[in-house]
């Protein structure tokens, strides 16, 4: 915590700075967030419930979102663990290229990603006609939604796992292998318990992004009401149909989900920080014995999870 | 060469990783670029460089640059307050900063557009003053600041936390004013981080679609951003044109990614 030192500004400057920060966050974040719920419940909870449950297209959109997001998150979880294991435990040519490639979805516009999928799987795409003869439909259908959602959420789990697995190091896993553990045993008994909070953090973030993805999904879905509309697409369609209250009702469900996500994220981050501290303490132990350790308050602990969440 | 480790699982994890990366990232983006390349230079220019497309790049780039700049300044201020000042509600403020990462962009766009229209919570004060935050260029900037703000804050925050206070105290004791200390001691140390935050915010803003489509009104030549133009071309089945514009947008994002990587390397080197 900041101590009063020569470098601290006077209380008035402090107060002005805090007021400015609160003003920025309040105007940009708190007011919009509050107004979602205010608008959604403007006509009372009964109207809110009717807008959600009595509109078959909205019901279908909720169901579709609840199907597509978990599939995308599951793919990302498997991919995230595999890629993080590969990058943090092995050295091979193309390793840094792989790390860069994992980040690509962050900087590609979701619309561009959706378009790329249309160029492959669309009716005039590379594989589209072939798949159509087999009776498979990807674009304007749920597999396209899953592909688009997986693309935009791809970096989220890997990015959480790589720094944590790098920090933990391979020693415990090497010990398990030398004691004769099988690959699966090493993973389930050593690696997974070590990375569980980081993994959960990534899954929570990926799920939030998957539920809320708009651009990429918009392009591949064809937004057919009652068929390929996810919740965010339903929000847009209701808005375009001048049914703003119904649109706000769906938006409020998504906003509620975002708040749940943030609470979960907060709790998980506390656990992650605690584990990182434990790891640091364990690391500094041998140093203490030979007297070359740094004092415990040598520097504030920087969190292992990157800003690009 | 490939294995410096006796750990198991290289084959399985390499197989899964390369399958996903190849099928989801490498192939789609290659197809996009090859499709654009198959147009030939003249055709590509004709598709990607129409007056309407040029206007859309200008709106995209202009609004994103302004939004990223606002995010960087506001982000630095918020990060500073979160790191340096202890006040009741600091934890809550810190948590609220993450809202734009979790809130679907469609929700953000919907809410912002209803807030700033004439009868909205904020619009009823602003519209009489002639400030139109909905269906305008300003509206685009507003939602882009919303989506990019966390990036600007979260990049600067850890760097501020790990900043060495000794040189600051030394500067103050040697008679530097607070402003001098900030400009000559603190700012040079955090500048790479601020710049990285700016680039990340810009990359996020350039690609944003969901929130902008609600608030901008999408008027060609005025408030139409490049991603919106791609979608409208696609809906007209003008695949060649959509692809050409997408490749221009992709080139912008990729050059930003390169810059961000370079900056992050510099930040990493500086902090060592």
């Amino acid at each position: 915590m900041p101590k009063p030192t020569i470098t601290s500004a006077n209380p008035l400057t402090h107060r002005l700075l805090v007021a400015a920060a609160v003003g920025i966050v309040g105007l940009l974040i708190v007011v919009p967030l509050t107004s979602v719920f205010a608008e959604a419940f403007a006509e009372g909870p009964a109207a809110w419930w009717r807008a959600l449950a009595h509109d078959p297209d909205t019901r279908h959109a909720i169901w579709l979102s609840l199907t597509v997001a978990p599939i995308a998150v599951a793919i990302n979880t498997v991919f995230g663990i595999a890629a993080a294991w590969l990058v943090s435990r092995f050295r091979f040519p193309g390793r840094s290229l792989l790390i860069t490639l994992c980040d690509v979805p962050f900087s590609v516009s979701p619309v561009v990603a959706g378009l790329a999928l249309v160029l492959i799987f669309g009716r005039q795409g590379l594989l589209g006609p072939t798949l159509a003869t087999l009776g498979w439909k990807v674009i304007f259908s749920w597999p396209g939604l899953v592909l688009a959602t997986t693309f935009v959420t791809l970096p989220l789990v890997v990015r959480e796992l790589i720094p944590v697995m790098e920090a933990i190091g391979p020693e415990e896993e090497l010990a398990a292998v030398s004691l004769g553990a099988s690959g699966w045993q090493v993973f389930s008994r050593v690696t997974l318990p070590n990375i569980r909070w980081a993994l959960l953090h990534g899954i929570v973030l990926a799920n939030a992004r998957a539920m809320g993805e708009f651009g990429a999904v918009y392009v591949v879905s064809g937004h057919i009401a009652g068929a390929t509309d996810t919740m965010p697409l339903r929000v847009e369609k209701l808005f375009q149909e001048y049914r703003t209250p119904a649109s706000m009702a769906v938006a409020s469900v998504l906003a509620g989900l975002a708040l749940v996500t943030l609470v979960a994220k907060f709790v998980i981050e506390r656990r992650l920080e605690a584990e990182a501290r434990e790891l640091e303490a364990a690391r500094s132990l041998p140093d203490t014995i030979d007297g070359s350790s740094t004092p415990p308050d040598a520097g504030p602990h920087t969190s292992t999870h990157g800003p690009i969440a | 060469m490939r294995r410096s480790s006796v750990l198991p699982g290289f084959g399985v994890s390499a197989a899964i990783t390369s399958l996903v990366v190849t099928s989801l990232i490498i192939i789609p983006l290659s197809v996009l670029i090859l499709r654009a390349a198959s147009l030939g230079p003249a055709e590509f220019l004709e598709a990607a460089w129409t007056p309407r497309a040029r206007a859309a790049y200008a709106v995209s780039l202009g609004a994103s640059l302004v939004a990223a700049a606002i995010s960087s300044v506001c982000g630095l201020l918020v990060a500073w307050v979160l790191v340096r000042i202890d006040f009741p509600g600091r934890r809550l403020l810190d948590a609220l900063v993450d809202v734009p990462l979790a809130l679907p962009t469609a929700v953000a766009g919907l809410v912002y557009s209803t807030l700033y229209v004439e009868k909205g919570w904020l619009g009823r004060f602003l519209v009489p003053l002639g400030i139109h935050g909905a269906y305008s260029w300003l509206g685009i900037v507003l939602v882009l600041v919303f989506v990019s703000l966390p990036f600007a804050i979260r990049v600067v925050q850890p760097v501020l936390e790990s900043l060495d206070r000794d040189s600051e105290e030394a500067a103050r004791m040697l008679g530097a004013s607070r402003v001098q200390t900030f400009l000559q001691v603190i700012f040079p140390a955090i500048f790479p981080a601020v710049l990285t935050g700016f680039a990340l915010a810009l990359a996020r803003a350039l690609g944003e679609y969901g929130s902008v489509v609600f608030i901008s009104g999408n008027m060609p030549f005025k408030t139409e951003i490049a991603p919106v133009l791609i979608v409208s071309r696609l809906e007209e089945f003008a695949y060649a044109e959509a692809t050409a514009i997408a490749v221009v947008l992709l080139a912008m994002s990729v050059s930003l990614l390169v810059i961000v990587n370079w900056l992050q390397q510099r930040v990493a080197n500086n902090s060592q």
Side-chain angles (χ1 to χ4, degrees), chain A residues 2 28 85 91 107 109 265 300, chain B residues 2 8 84 98 112 161 207 253:
Chain A
L28 283 172
W85 179 255
R91 294 289 175 271
S107 46
S109 174
K265 185 171 174 288
Chain B
R2 75 184 165 91
R84 288 298 178 96
D98 282 336
Y112 265 72
E161 264 168 17
S253 329

Side-chain angles (χ1 to χ4, degrees), chain B residues 223-235:
Chain B
T223 56
E224 185 178 59
I225 56 165
V228 171
L229 181 58
I230 295 174
V231 171
S232 73
R233 284 293 178 252
L234 201 56
E235 282 171 349

Side-chain angles (χ1 to χ4, degrees), chain A residues 4-280:
Chain A
T5 60
I6 191 164
T7 47
S8 23
N10 63 50
L12 181 66
T13 322
H14 271 181
R15 253 175 244 161
L16 285 175
L17 283 172
V18 172
V22 170
I24 291 167
V25 174
L27 199 63
L28 283 172
I29 294 171
V30 180
V31 170
L33 195 60
T34 324
S35 91
V36 184
F37 296 105
E39 298 262 356
F41 290 99
E43 285 159 48
W48 177 83
W49 178 251
R50 244 193 332 274
L52 288 177
H54 292 212
D55 182 332
D57 290 346
T58 300
R59 271 210 315 265
H60 187 272
I62 295 172
W63 179 82
L64 188 62
S65 276
L66 291 177
T67 321
V68 168
I71 300 175
V73 171
I75 298 174
N76 267 313
T77 307
V78 174
F79 166 75
I81 293 170
W85 179 255
L86 198 62
V87 163
S88 66
R89 295 294 179 260
F90 300 95
R91 294 289 175 271
F92 52 94
R95 182 175 164 273
S96 55
L97 177 70
L98 176 65
I99 298 175
T100 310
L101 278 174
C102 288
D103 270 350
V104 163
F106 272 145
S107 46
V108 173
S109 174
V111 168
V112 174
L115 171 64
L117 291 175
V118 171
L119 291 179
I120 297 176
F121 297 107
R123 222 178 316 164
Q124 301 174 18
L126 275 183
L127 301 176
T130 322
L131 291 174
T133 55
L134 295 170
W136 287 359
K137 207 167 153 199
V138 176
I139 300 302
F140 301 161
S141 178
W142 66 267
L145 300 178
V146 170
L147 284 176
T149 310
T150 311
F151 177 91
V152 295
T153 50
L154 202 63
L156 290 166
V157 179
V158 197
R159 274 200 85 107
E160 292 298 314
L161 291 183
I162 291 177
V164 171
M165 286 172 77
E166 297 262 8
I168 291 170
E171 290 82 9
E172 289 179 30
E173 286 139 4
L174 287 169
V177 169
S178 72
L179 292 172
S182 72
W184 175 250
Q185 282 173 322
V186 173
F187 174 72
S188 62
R189 306 231 185 122
V190 181
T191 312
L192 197 58
N194 277 337
I195 62 167
R196 62 185 174 194
W197 291 108
L199 183 62
L200 201 59
H201 196 244
I203 289 174
V204 164
L205 290 177
N207 183 59
R209 184 73 210 266
M211 295 289 296
E213 176 49 30
F214 187 83
V217 164
Y218 187 90
V219 172
V220 299
S221 88
H223 20 104
I224 308 157
T228 61
D229 265 350
T230 60
M231 282 166 79
L233 297 180
R234 188 72 193 145
V235 168
E236 197 256 0
K237 185 162 289 170
L238 290 168
F239 178 71
Q240 296 296 350
E241 290 169 357
Y242 301 102
R243 291 163 64 190
T244 308
S247 175
M248 280 289 180
V250 183
S252 72
V253 176
L254 287 168
L257 198 77
L259 288 179
V260 173
T261 301
L262 287 178
V263 171
K265 185 171 174 288
F266 188 79
V267 172
I268 295 166
E269 275 167 14
R270 292 290 88 84
R271 297 302 306 240
L272 271 171
E273 274 166 31
E275 286 194 352
R277 266 197 303 276
E278 273 168 35
L279 191 70
E280 229 164 80

